[in-house]
Amino acid sequence: MSSPEPAVRAPRNGPTAPLTVAVTGAAGGLGARLTERLLDSPDIRRVLALDERLGEAGGAEWHTLDVRDPAIADLLRTSGATRDAEDAGETEPSHAPVDVLVHLALDLDVESDPAARTAFNVRGTQTVLTAAAAAGVRRVVLCTSAMVYGALPDNDVPLAEDAELRATEDATCVGDLLEIERLAQRAPRAHPGLNVTVLRPAVLVGGTDTALTRYFESPRLLVVAGSRPRWQFCHVDDLVSALEYAVLEKVDGELAVGCDGWLEQEEVEELSGIRRMELPPSVALGAATRLHRLGLTPSPAGDLAYTMHPWVVSGSRLYEAGWRPTWSNEEVLAELLAEVAGRHTVVGRRLGRKDAATTLGAAGATVALVGTAALVRRARRARRR
């Protein structure tokens, strides 16, 4: 007979005492930014930073581990400092259990092996949720993407948070994110009393590299004929502030995060100064499918849907709680363009200088087709050799 599962501590109406918070993936990217912000918050007593390597946040208690290791449950239960933290001269260990865990240790790299990426993302989330419940953590905060709503021509503009998740698994990382959403839905039923809050940002910008940010590295903005894309962005700083709202128990449930409103494709072209290249659906989807099948691009054809159809979100639940974005869509687009300046991408494949000089040398509306043809010819020659 198995021993009874430890009871999860009851949630509160906002923090009445400073919290102990654990952050996975704390050594870089979004996790590092959130860790720094929590360390500056008067509502946070201690921050446990969990990653496979030590990060730079000096005030955090660092623990190096793989989030798929079930031993994370013991760490969350006692939250004493590890030998790594002691060797680094970090805060002395204490033994207050963790109140909130923010799970940001995800591999969303477009260049990662898909099978290995899925194994890490799904198994890691499963382990974190189970460990949190076993340790008595009362709240887990997850971060997926507004992409889980799907990009479809009949989507409401904007989408409400409780809109049906109609995405398919055809786009980069979306299958992993959908499975994480399913785990989030099941966890409170399997572990009564555990609160799971999920944030779904729009196109994330600020030190990120995704299939959607690479869209703006192309010499022409690919537009599929007959489609009407709308663009909504989310700056990583605004996502960090929304995550803090979730940590401080100001919001619950599924939360969409993004700038106010959206930009039409024509506005994006005017603001960016990048002209469009319009292609028939059969040509655009066919080229993307062939390139991905040949292994020449990490982006499957499913990524194109998110540049064709709207998936704008309202963010009403955060707004009702008093949160507001500090960045506008226009400002985030300007930052994105500054970040990708000098990079060259064709159908999701980033090119080096030599490839860019030959593949992207053509001008005008044929540039992407020229690039596609060149890449396909190169693959055929390699196969014949």
Side-chain angles (χ1 to χ4, degrees):
M1 180 177 179
S2 61
S3 58
E5 184 176 299
V8 176
R9 294 186 300 282
R12 299 176 292 183
N13 254 337
T16 57
L19 300 170
T20 295
V21 182
V23 180
T24 69
L30 179 61
R33 293 193 188 213
L34 178 64
T35 299
E36 293 284 0
R37 187 179 182 103
L38 295 178
L39 287 169
D40 290 336
S41 172
D43 296 312
I44 305 300
R45 174 175 52 197
R46 294 169 50 246
V47 179
L48 278 70
L50 316 180
D51 210 313
E52 295 181 357
R53 60 185 176 88
L54 291 174
E56 297 179 0
E61 298 175 17
W62 283 95
H63 301 261
T64 55
L65 81 166
D66 187 320
V67 292
R68 294 169 291 182
D69 185 347
I72 192 174
D74 292 332
L75 188 154
L76 296 173
R77 189 180 292 111
T78 61
S79 69
T82 63
R83 176 60 58 188
D84 287 326
E86 292 169 355
D87 291 344
E90 304 298 347
T91 307
E92 287 298 315
S94 63
H95 297 280
V98 170
D99 298 295
V100 181
L101 186 151
V102 186
H103 179 47
L104 300 175
L106 295 178
D107 178 5
L108 302 178
D109 190 336
V110 294
E111 303 286 354
S112 292
D113 173 73
R117 183 174 58 205
T118 295
F120 178 81
N121 291 336
V122 175
R123 178 65 182 276
T125 304
Q126 287 174 326
T127 302
V128 163
L129 288 169
T130 303
V137 176
R138 69 165 171 269
R139 172 175 291 222
V140 175
V141 180
L142 304 176
C143 187
T144 61
S145 167
M147 294 177 76
V148 297
Y149 290 109
L152 297 108
D154 62 343
N155 272 347
D156 291 336
V157 180
L159 290 160
E161 273 99 342
D162 59 0
E164 182 183 356
L165 305 188
R166 297 198 291 163
T168 66
E169 299 186 1
D170 298 333
T172 304
C173 298
V174 173
D176 294 1
L177 299 178
L178 287 170
E179 183 56 31
I180 290 170
E181 292 273 354
R182 288 189 281 267
L183 291 170
Q185 291 175 359
R186 292 197 293 264
R189 297 195 295 268
H191 311 290
L194 178 65
N195 177 293
V196 180
T197 299
V198 182
L199 275 69
R200 300 166 177 164
V203 180
L204 191 59
V205 175
T208 58
D209 176 21
T210 67
L212 291 168
T213 59
R214 288 190 179 193
Y215 176 82
F216 293 92
E217 298 177 14
S218 299
R220 297 286 185 271
L221 297 179
L222 173 62
V223 177
V224 177
S227 68
R228 190 180 176 187
R230 294 176 175 88
W231 291 91
Q232 181 186 36
F233 300 98
C234 177
H235 194 276
V236 67
D237 289 344
D238 283 336
L239 178 55
V240 167
S241 70
L243 285 166
E244 184 183 28
Y245 259 61
V247 167
L248 298 179
E249 304 177 305
K250 296 180 180 180
V251 286
D252 285 299
E254 294 78 34
L255 309 161
V257 193
C259 298
D260 286 330
W262 62 87
L263 298 174
E264 300 286 348
Q265 180 70 23
E266 293 77 11
E267 293 177 286
V268 167
E269 292 168 18
E270 181 179 355
L271 290 167
S272 67
I274 307 174
R275 289 180 292 172
R276 72 167 57 193
M277 180 192 62
E278 191 163 314
L279 296 177
S282 58
V283 175
L285 294 169
T289 300
R290 287 193 298 274
L291 286 172
H292 187 63
R293 187 185 301 126
L294 289 167
L296 296 174
T297 172
S299 295
D303 287 346
L304 278 179
Y306 292 89
T307 69
M308 294 171 60
H309 307 302
W311 49 292
V312 173
V313 290
S314 69
S316 58
R317 290 177 180 168
L318 275 165
Y319 276 63
E320 290 167 3
W323 178 90
R324 294 293 184 275
T326 59
W327 290 73
S328 68
N329 282 303
E330 292 84 353
E331 291 169 337
V332 179
L333 176 59
E335 172 148 323
L336 172 57
L337 294 170
E339 284 187 2
V340 303
R343 299 176 187 167
H344 304 286
T345 294
V346 171
V347 200
R349 179 179 183 266
R350 187 170 288 158
L351 305 176
R353 289 185 178 180
K354 182 177 180 181
D355 286 334
T358 56
T359 304
L360 302 180
T366 61
V367 65
L369 289 180
V370 171
T372 298
L375 293 172
V376 171
R377 285 196 300 271
R378 179 184 300 176
R380 287 174 177 169
R381 285 197 299 269
R383 286 184 174 184
R384 284 197 295 269
R385 286 197 297 268

mmCIF file of all heavy atoms in Angstrom, residues 7-38:
data_model
loop_
_atom_site.group_PDB
_atom_site.id
_atom_site.type_symbol
_atom_site.label_atom_id
_atom_site.label_comp_id
_atom_site.label_asym_id
_atom_site.label_seq_id
_atom_site.Cartn_x
_atom_site.Cartn_y
_atom_site.Cartn_z
ATOM 1 N N ALA A 7 -0.344 16.676 1.640
ATOM 2 C CA ALA A 7 -1.365 17.661 1.285
ATOM 3 C C ALA A 7 -0.710 18.921 0.773
ATOM 4 O O ALA A 7 0.299 19.380 1.303
ATOM 5 C CB ALA A 7 -2.214 17.979 2.514
ATOM 6 N N VAL A 8 -1.293 19.478 -0.305
ATOM 7 C CA VAL A 8 -0.804 20.755 -0.826
ATOM 8 C C VAL A 8 -1.362 21.870 0.035
ATOM 9 O O VAL A 8 -2.544 21.872 0.373
ATOM 10 C CB VAL A 8 -1.250 20.926 -2.292
ATOM 11 C CG1 VAL A 8 -0.840 22.294 -2.808
ATOM 12 C CG2 VAL A 8 -0.676 19.820 -3.151
ATOM 13 N N ARG A 9 -0.522 22.810 0.423
ATOM 14 C CA ARG A 9 -0.980 23.893 1.285
ATOM 15 C C ARG A 9 -2.024 24.744 0.573
ATOM 16 O O ARG A 9 -1.956 24.972 -0.629
ATOM 17 C CB ARG A 9 0.217 24.762 1.704
ATOM 18 C CG ARG A 9 1.198 24.023 2.598
ATOM 19 C CD ARG A 9 2.281 24.943 3.116
ATOM 20 N NE ARG A 9 3.065 25.549 2.047
ATOM 21 C CZ ARG A 9 4.019 24.908 1.384
ATOM 22 N NH1 ARG A 9 4.276 23.650 1.654
ATOM 23 N NH2 ARG A 9 4.712 25.519 0.446
ATOM 24 N N ALA A 10 -2.967 25.218 1.342
ATOM 25 C CA ALA A 10 -4.093 25.950 0.777
ATOM 26 C C ALA A 10 -3.628 27.258 0.151
ATOM 27 O O ALA A 10 -2.740 27.929 0.669
ATOM 28 C CB ALA A 10 -5.121 26.244 1.866
ATOM 29 N N PRO A 11 -4.233 27.637 -0.999
ATOM 30 C CA PRO A 11 -3.872 28.908 -1.631
ATOM 31 C C PRO A 11 -4.358 30.096 -0.820
ATOM 32 O O PRO A 11 -5.247 29.980 0.015
ATOM 33 C CB PRO A 11 -4.577 28.836 -2.992
ATOM 34 C CG PRO A 11 -5.725 27.932 -2.757
ATOM 35 C CD PRO A 11 -5.263 26.927 -1.747
ATOM 36 N N ARG A 12 -3.778 31.258 -1.101
ATOM 37 C CA ARG A 12 -4.167 32.467 -0.406
ATOM 38 C C ARG A 12 -4.670 33.489 -1.404
ATOM 39 O O ARG A 12 -4.455 33.382 -2.589
ATOM 40 C CB ARG A 12 -2.962 33.040 0.356
ATOM 41 C CG ARG A 12 -2.413 32.115 1.396
ATOM 42 C CD ARG A 12 -1.164 32.701 2.038
ATOM 43 N NE ARG A 12 -0.060 32.745 1.099
ATOM 44 C CZ ARG A 12 1.162 33.163 1.426
ATOM 45 N NH1 ARG A 12 1.410 33.570 2.637
ATOM 46 N NH2 ARG A 12 2.122 33.174 0.522
ATOM 47 N N ASN A 13 -5.387 34.472 -0.884
ATOM 48 C CA ASN A 13 -5.848 35.588 -1.709
ATOM 49 C C ASN A 13 -4.734 36.610 -1.811
ATOM 50 O O ASN A 13 -4.754 37.615 -1.124
ATOM 51 C CB ASN A 13 -7.044 36.255 -1.046
ATOM 52 C CG ASN A 13 -8.296 35.924 -1.759
ATOM 53 O OD1 ASN A 13 -8.246 35.589 -2.910
ATOM 54 N ND2 ASN A 13 -9.392 36.029 -1.065
ATOM 55 N N GLY A 14 -3.736 36.330 -2.628
ATOM 56 C CA GLY A 14 -2.560 37.188 -2.680
ATOM 57 C C GLY A 14 -1.667 36.888 -1.487
ATOM 58 O O GLY A 14 -2.121 36.386 -0.468
ATOM 59 N N PRO A 15 -0.383 37.157 -1.582
ATOM 60 C CA PRO A 15 0.554 36.806 -0.520
ATOM 61 C C PRO A 15 0.344 37.656 0.729
ATOM 62 O O PRO A 15 0.275 38.873 0.656
ATOM 63 C CB PRO A 15 1.921 37.072 -1.154
ATOM 64 C CG PRO A 15 1.656 38.069 -2.226
ATOM 65 C CD PRO A 15 0.280 37.773 -2.735
ATOM 66 N N THR A 16 0.206 36.999 1.908
ATOM 67 C CA THR A 16 0.095 37.716 3.172
ATOM 68 C C THR A 16 1.437 37.772 3.882
ATOM 69 O O THR A 16 1.592 38.456 4.871
ATOM 70 C CB THR A 16 -0.934 37.025 4.077
ATOM 71 O OG1 THR A 16 -0.530 35.657 4.256
ATOM 72 C CG2 THR A 16 -2.315 37.072 3.444
ATOM 73 N N ALA A 17 2.412 36.990 3.391
ATOM 74 C CA ALA A 17 3.771 37.000 3.932
ATOM 75 C C ALA A 17 4.714 36.760 2.772
ATOM 76 O O ALA A 17 4.313 36.209 1.746
ATOM 77 C CB ALA A 17 3.923 35.913 4.996
ATOM 78 N N PRO A 18 5.964 37.189 2.896
ATOM 79 C CA PRO A 18 6.903 36.980 1.786
ATOM 80 C C PRO A 18 6.985 35.504 1.384
ATOM 81 O O PRO A 18 6.951 34.606 2.228
ATOM 82 C CB PRO A 18 8.229 37.481 2.359
ATOM 83 C CG PRO A 18 7.828 38.491 3.378
ATOM 84 C CD PRO A 18 6.571 37.959 3.994
ATOM 85 N N LEU A 19 7.088 35.260 0.094
ATOM 86 C CA LEU A 19 7.044 33.915 -0.463
ATOM 87 C C LEU A 19 8.431 33.358 -0.724
ATOM 88 O O LEU A 19 9.385 34.101 -0.963
ATOM 89 C CB LEU A 19 6.278 33.930 -1.790
ATOM 90 C CG LEU A 19 4.822 34.392 -1.755
ATOM 91 C CD1 LEU A 19 4.311 34.586 -3.187
ATOM 92 C CD2 LEU A 19 3.953 33.389 -1.018
ATOM 93 N N THR A 20 8.514 32.042 -0.710
ATOM 94 C CA THR A 20 9.688 31.338 -1.216
ATOM 95 C C THR A 20 9.331 30.791 -2.590
ATOM 96 O O THR A 20 8.344 30.058 -2.736
ATOM 97 C CB THR A 20 10.104 30.192 -0.277
ATOM 98 O OG1 THR A 20 10.514 30.744 0.973
ATOM 99 C CG2 THR A 20 11.251 29.394 -0.872
ATOM 100 N N VAL A 21 10.106 31.166 -3.598
ATOM 101 C CA VAL A 21 9.786 30.838 -4.982
ATOM 102 C C VAL A 21 10.948 30.088 -5.612
ATOM 103 O O VAL A 21 12.118 30.452 -5.413
ATOM 104 C CB VAL A 21 9.487 32.114 -5.809
ATOM 105 C CG1 VAL A 21 9.108 31.759 -7.245
ATOM 106 C CG2 VAL A 21 8.382 32.927 -5.148
ATOM 107 N N ALA A 22 10.647 29.039 -6.372
ATOM 108 C CA ALA A 22 11.655 28.317 -7.147
ATOM 109 C C ALA A 22 11.432 28.600 -8.624
ATOM 110 O O ALA A 22 10.281 28.649 -9.092
ATOM 111 C CB ALA A 22 11.570 26.817 -6.871
ATOM 112 N N VAL A 23 12.508 28.794 -9.372
ATOM 113 C CA VAL A 23 12.441 29.051 -10.811
ATOM 114 C C VAL A 23 13.325 28.038 -11.524
ATOM 115 O O VAL A 23 14.533 27.968 -11.259
ATOM 116 C CB VAL A 23 12.908 30.479 -11.163
ATOM 117 C CG1 VAL A 23 12.826 30.718 -12.668
ATOM 118 C CG2 VAL A 23 12.094 31.517 -10.403
ATOM 119 N N THR A 24 12.763 27.233 -12.413
ATOM 120 C CA THR A 24 13.577 26.340 -13.237
ATOM 121 C C THR A 24 14.013 27.087 -14.497
ATOM 122 O O THR A 24 13.335 27.995 -14.966
ATOM 123 C CB THR A 24 12.807 25.066 -13.632
ATOM 124 O OG1 THR A 24 11.756 25.405 -14.568
ATOM 125 C CG2 THR A 24 12.215 24.372 -12.420
ATOM 126 N N GLY A 25 15.158 26.683 -15.051
ATOM 127 C CA GLY A 25 15.692 27.387 -16.212
ATOM 128 C C GLY A 25 16.157 28.782 -15.860
ATOM 129 O O GLY A 25 16.075 29.710 -16.674
ATOM 130 N N ALA A 26 16.692 28.943 -14.643
ATOM 131 C CA ALA A 26 16.994 30.280 -14.111
ATOM 132 C C ALA A 26 18.317 30.851 -14.584
ATOM 133 O O ALA A 26 18.610 32.016 -14.315
ATOM 134 C CB ALA A 26 16.981 30.232 -12.582
ATOM 135 N N ALA A 27 19.130 30.067 -15.269
ATOM 136 C CA ALA A 27 20.476 30.543 -15.614
ATOM 137 C C ALA A 27 20.523 31.418 -16.858
ATOM 138 O O ALA A 27 21.526 32.091 -17.114
ATOM 139 C CB ALA A 27 21.426 29.358 -15.786
ATOM 140 N N GLY A 28 19.481 31.429 -17.657
ATOM 141 C CA GLY A 28 19.524 32.221 -18.885
ATOM 142 C C GLY A 28 18.144 32.579 -19.380
ATOM 143 O O GLY A 28 17.134 32.030 -18.939
ATOM 144 N N GLY A 29 18.096 33.520 -20.333
ATOM 145 C CA GLY A 29 16.862 33.877 -21.002
ATOM 146 C C GLY A 29 15.787 34.376 -20.058
ATOM 147 O O GLY A 29 16.038 35.149 -19.126
ATOM 148 N N LEU A 30 14.563 33.918 -20.313
ATOM 149 C CA LEU A 30 13.399 34.347 -19.535
ATOM 150 C C LEU A 30 13.571 34.026 -18.058
ATOM 151 O O LEU A 30 13.229 34.831 -17.185
ATOM 152 C CB LEU A 30 12.150 33.668 -20.101
ATOM 153 C CG LEU A 30 10.821 33.958 -19.409
ATOM 154 C CD1 LEU A 30 10.474 35.443 -19.479
ATOM 155 C CD2 LEU A 30 9.709 33.116 -20.049
ATOM 156 N N GLY A 31 14.104 32.831 -17.748
ATOM 157 C CA GLY A 31 14.276 32.440 -16.359
ATOM 158 C C GLY A 31 15.213 33.354 -15.597
ATOM 159 O O GLY A 31 14.980 33.694 -14.426
ATOM 160 N N ALA A 32 16.299 33.784 -16.240
ATOM 161 C CA ALA A 32 17.246 34.689 -15.589
ATOM 162 C C ALA A 32 16.602 36.041 -15.317
ATOM 163 O O ALA A 32 16.800 36.640 -14.251
ATOM 164 C CB ALA A 32 18.490 34.856 -16.458
ATOM 165 N N ARG A 33 15.828 36.536 -16.271
ATOM 166 C CA ARG A 33 15.171 37.834 -16.080
ATOM 167 C C ARG A 33 14.160 37.779 -14.943
ATOM 168 O O ARG A 33 14.058 38.706 -14.132
ATOM 169 C CB ARG A 33 14.486 38.267 -17.377
ATOM 170 C CG ARG A 33 15.452 38.571 -18.511
ATOM 171 C CD ARG A 33 14.736 39.295 -19.629
ATOM 172 N NE ARG A 33 15.569 39.433 -20.801
ATOM 173 C CZ ARG A 33 15.510 40.470 -21.633
ATOM 174 N NH1 ARG A 33 14.678 41.453 -21.396
ATOM 175 N NH2 ARG A 33 16.291 40.518 -22.701
ATOM 176 N N LEU A 34 13.389 36.678 -14.890
ATOM 177 C CA LEU A 34 12.402 36.563 -13.818
ATOM 178 C C LEU A 34 13.099 36.436 -12.463
ATOM 179 O O LEU A 34 12.668 37.046 -11.476
ATOM 180 C CB LEU A 34 11.493 35.366 -14.053
ATOM 181 C CG LEU A 34 10.458 35.128 -12.948
ATOM 182 C CD1 LEU A 34 9.472 36.290 -12.847
ATOM 183 C CD2 LEU A 34 9.704 33.819 -13.178
ATOM 184 N N THR A 35 14.163 35.664 -12.395
ATOM 185 C CA THR A 35 14.895 35.491 -11.137
ATOM 186 C C THR A 35 15.377 36.837 -10.608
ATOM 187 O O THR A 35 15.219 37.150 -9.419
ATOM 188 C CB THR A 35 16.087 34.537 -11.348
ATOM 189 O OG1 THR A 35 15.597 33.253 -11.763
ATOM 190 C CG2 THR A 35 16.879 34.369 -10.057
ATOM 191 N N GLU A 36 15.963 37.650 -11.474
ATOM 192 C CA GLU A 36 16.429 38.970 -11.056
ATOM 193 C C GLU A 36 15.265 39.831 -10.560
ATOM 194 O O GLU A 36 15.389 40.543 -9.559
ATOM 195 C CB GLU A 36 17.144 39.666 -12.219
ATOM 196 C CG GLU A 36 18.449 39.009 -12.639
ATOM 197 C CD GLU A 36 19.597 39.296 -11.680
ATOM 198 O OE1 GLU A 36 19.376 40.006 -10.675
ATOM 199 O OE2 GLU A 36 20.717 38.798 -11.934
ATOM 200 N N ARG A 37 14.140 39.771 -11.238
ATOM 201 C CA ARG A 37 12.991 40.592 -10.836
ATOM 202 C C ARG A 37 12.447 40.144 -9.476
ATOM 203 O O ARG A 37 12.112 40.978 -8.619
ATOM 204 C CB ARG A 37 11.894 40.517 -11.895
ATOM 205 C CG ARG A 37 10.733 41.481 -11.619
ATOM 206 C CD ARG A 37 9.683 41.397 -12.697
ATOM 207 N NE ARG A 37 8.593 42.333 -12.473
ATOM 208 C CZ ARG A 37 8.432 43.479 -13.118
ATOM 209 N NH1 ARG A 37 9.316 43.845 -14.036
ATOM 210 N NH2 ARG A 37 7.405 44.275 -12.858
ATOM 211 N N LEU A 38 12.359 38.840 -9.261
ATOM 212 C CA LEU A 38 11.842 38.340 -7.988
ATOM 213 C C LEU A 38 12.768 38.690 -6.833
ATOM 214 O O LEU A 38 12.314 38.956 -5.715
ATOM 215 C CB LEU A 38 11.635 36.828 -8.066
ATOM 216 C CG LEU A 38 10.566 36.338 -9.048
ATOM 217 C CD1 LEU A 38 10.502 34.813 -9.044
ATOM 218 C CD2 LEU A 38 9.193 36.936 -8.725
#
